[in-house]
Amino acid sequence: MWGIVPAAGAGSRIQPLAFSKELLPVGSRIDEGVERPKAVSEYLVERMIAGGADKICFVISPGKSDIVQYYGGGFGDAHVCYAVQPKPAGLCDSIFRVLPLVPPAEDVLVGLPDTVWFPEDGLRALPDGILSFLLFPVERPEFFDAVVTDDDGRVREIQVKQPGAATHWVWGAFKLPGWTLGELHDLWLERGKQDEYIGTLVNAWLARGGEARGVRAGEAYVDVGTLHGYREAISVLSERPATEGGPSPLAAASPSWEQHQAAGVALT
């Protein structure tokens, strides 16, 4: 199973940083008995692997070679590769960069690399073979993509950053088969690539008879893309002990990782 990590954004909400925002140190991991800083994107990659992904593709901009240096060719038991988004053009454009690698019958996981959420195995709750969203309760749904479902969990509408959202449940990650990813891509092209957010594209797809599910299996969700979110993530993680991880990507890290750590710690 593929895991797609869209990491080409500029991260303007939390700049200036001396490195890609996906490498922002948040919390820690235990590596061979030693506690080390943990890049925020590691949380998503770990959750994708827990959800069944054995291949991870980072979609990066041309200037984000530090992500390649950090992760190298693998993370734990998963292989890692990279696709390039020449310029920031939204989540839809980013995700579709990986489409040539995905067989129609293979499921795909998609998440955001500047988020921290629980439970760690939440992606296991999503069914195979259908577009499904892992949903989390938040206090301010207008800052996210709220997912309106019926009593059976069928998605009726995704309200993209909409004031007065009809629900407090927002999507934090999703799963879909390759053939559905292809259908969404075709519709995106038909609509003139106007959809920046996946929510508006899915709404158009649902209107044409598509089906999606919302699974309310999420417990906590933090967007680390702002200073407020960064501090909230530190608070949430402080209540949970650092865990023993698999092989650390630090073996492939750039020589300036210590500088990265210092810059991240300075944010507190």
Side-chain angles (χ1 to χ4, degrees):
M1 184 188 301
W2 279 98
I4 299 178
V5 182
S12 57
R13 296 179 301 165
I14 201 169
Q15 292 294 349
L17 296 172
F19 49 91
S20 296
K21 63 182 176 64
E22 293 79 13
L23 300 183
L24 180 69
V26 179
S28 60
R29 60 182 291 128
I30 304 299
D31 181 22
E32 298 181 351
V34 179
E35 188 172 11
R36 299 184 184 276
K38 186 171 182 176
V40 62
S41 54
E42 288 185 57
Y43 291 95
L44 174 61
V45 175
E46 288 175 345
R47 284 148 177 71
M48 286 181 163
I49 293 173
D54 56 0
K55 302 179 292 290
I56 305 294
C57 184
F58 283 85
V59 183
I60 61 176
S61 65
K64 290 195 172 184
S65 60
D66 55 350
I67 293 179
V68 181
Q69 290 176 308
Y70 189 82
Y71 283 96
F75 183 94
D77 295 330
H79 299 286
V80 173
C81 68
Y82 306 88
V84 175
Q85 185 181 29
K87 60 181 180 179
L91 182 59
C92 290
D93 180 86
S94 179
I95 293 170
F96 295 141
R97 299 281 168 177
V98 190
L99 183 59
L101 303 177
V102 180
E106 186 169 348
D107 283 325
V108 179
L109 301 173
V110 181
L112 304 177
D114 52 0
T115 61
V116 177
W117 48 262
F118 295 93
E120 294 93 332
D121 60 353
L123 289 168
R124 294 181 184 176
L126 301 183
D128 296 334
I130 186 173
L131 173 60
S132 55
F133 294 89
L134 180 59
L135 305 184
F136 298 82
V138 299
E139 293 184 0
R140 302 292 300 274
E142 65 270 20
F143 294 146
F144 302 93
D145 288 3
V147 180
V148 180
T149 62
D150 64 16
D151 293 338
D152 295 323
R154 287 188 293 266
V155 176
R156 293 305 187 194
E157 179 188 8
I158 298 179
Q159 298 178 341
V160 179
K161 297 176 176 58
Q162 179 175 309
T167 176
H168 284 268
W169 290 90
V170 305
W171 74 260
F174 58 93
K175 181 179 181 180
L176 73 169
W179 64 265
T180 300
L181 186 66
E183 283 192 359
L184 289 172
H185 177 255
D186 291 343
L187 179 57
W188 181 67
L189 294 177
E190 182 181 327
R191 288 164 59 84
K193 302 182 181 180
Q194 67 175 346
D195 298 286
E196 180 179 356
Y197 302 106
I198 193 69
T200 60
L201 181 61
V202 168
N203 286 336
W205 185 72
L206 293 174
R208 291 195 173 190
E211 182 179 356
R213 295 278 174 172
V215 180
R216 297 182 176 184
E219 299 171 359
Y221 184 82
V222 181
D223 176 5
V224 192
T226 65
L227 281 174
H228 172 76
Y230 176 82
R231 296 187 179 106
E232 184 179 357
I234 294 297
S235 176
V236 169
L237 292 169
S238 68
E239 301 173 359
R240 301 170 185 261
T243 57
E244 184 75 42
S248 172
L250 291 176
S254 69
S256 58
W257 169 253
E258 292 80 7
Q259 298 173 0
H260 295 178
Q261 178 186 359
V265 171
L267 291 173
T268 62

